[in-house]
Amino acid sequence: KKSKKYQIIHKKERALYAKNYGIINRTRLSEYMKKYQLDNKAYLVEYDKKRARELKLEIINEYGGKCVCCGEKIVEFLTIDHIDNNGANHRRELFGRRDTGGKTFYIWLKKNSFPKDNYQLLCMNCNFAKSHHGGCPHKNE
């Protein structure tokens, strides 16, 4: 450990060293991560798919586990619906793009304690009918 007097005298030198040391380490880390990602691409793709599916299952369970319109329970068919039909605008406000959804939106829902006032779980058919035809045919049956 250096003396207090030494630290005061060599403050600029230490700051420059720390800055350069950080840049060198960031460069080395970046190179390492690029190599790791190339060497483990198949594993990382599978891992990402697994984590995305686990997240989707968590979201689905939190929002009731089935389509609120028709009762569909098959996970691959289920999605989160913005009740007020403002999904594109809401995603644009949150992420700067209207087409960002899926995993990115599910992460946002989880970080915000699964808000339920503006969202519901629908299957893709009911969600499409609601947004493109003004309502789902199941409601008319």
Side-chain angles (χ1 to χ4, degrees), residues 7-67:
Q7 291 177 1
I8 292 169
I9 293 170
H10 298 286
K11 187 175 182 179
K12 288 182 182 176
E13 289 88 348
R14 289 184 319 112
L16 183 62
Y17 175 79
K19 181 180 178 185
N20 289 336
Y21 184 73
I23 290 171
I24 291 167
N25 281 345
R26 274 182 272 155
T27 303
R28 286 174 55 199
L29 178 63
S30 177
E31 291 167 1
Y32 170 79
M33 289 305 297
K34 286 177 186 174
K35 184 179 181 329
Y36 179 84
Q37 289 171 347
L38 286 172
D39 293 346
N40 298 287
K41 188 171 185 169
Y43 167 76
L44 292 172
V45 167
E46 284 305 312
Y47 180 79
D48 192 46
K49 284 181 183 178
K50 178 184 172 193
R51 294 289 297 142
R53 181 166 173 82
E54 288 171 357
L55 178 61
K56 183 173 181 173
L57 287 172
E58 185 177 357
I59 297 295
I60 287 171
N61 288 332
E62 194 65 36
Y63 284 91
K66 64 182 181 177
C67 176

Side-chain angles (χ1 to χ4, degrees), residues 12-128:
K12 288 182 182 176
E13 289 88 348
R14 289 184 319 112
L16 183 62
Y17 175 79
K19 181 180 178 185
N20 289 336
Y21 184 73
I23 290 171
I24 291 167
N25 281 345
R26 274 182 272 155
T27 303
R28 286 174 55 199
L29 178 63
S30 177
E31 291 167 1
Y32 170 79
M33 289 305 297
K34 286 177 186 174
K35 184 179 181 329
Y36 179 84
Q37 289 171 347
L38 286 172
D39 293 346
N40 298 287
K41 188 171 185 169
Y43 167 76
L44 292 172
V45 167
E46 284 305 312
Y47 180 79
D48 192 46
K49 284 181 183 178
K50 178 184 172 193
R51 294 289 297 142
R53 181 166 173 82
E54 288 171 357
L55 178 61
K56 183 173 181 173
L57 287 172
E58 185 177 357
I59 297 295
I60 287 171
N61 288 332
E62 194 65 36
Y63 284 91
K66 64 182 181 177
C67 176
V68 297
C69 184
C70 70
E72 178 65 65
K73 293 182 181 178
I74 298 174
V75 172
E76 290 79 8
F77 296 154
L78 297 174
T79 188
I80 293 293
D81 171 57
H82 286 73
I83 293 173
D84 298 331
N85 289 331
N86 65 343
N89 292 332
H90 184 239
R91 288 188 302 275
R92 190 178 293 117
E93 288 172 19
L94 291 175
F95 311 116
R97 297 175 49 179
R98 70 175 208 80
D99 60 343
T100 301
K103 189 170 85 168
T104 305
F105 185 59
Y106 293 160
I107 290 169
W108 182 87
L109 286 171
K110 185 175 179 177
K111 283 183 179 179
N112 288 277
S113 304
F114 309 101
K116 303 222 175 13
D117 52 342
N118 295 321
Y119 309 100
Q120 64 184 351
L121 193 63
L122 291 179
C123 70
M124 295 291 189
N125 285 338
C126 294
N127 194 7
F128 182 87

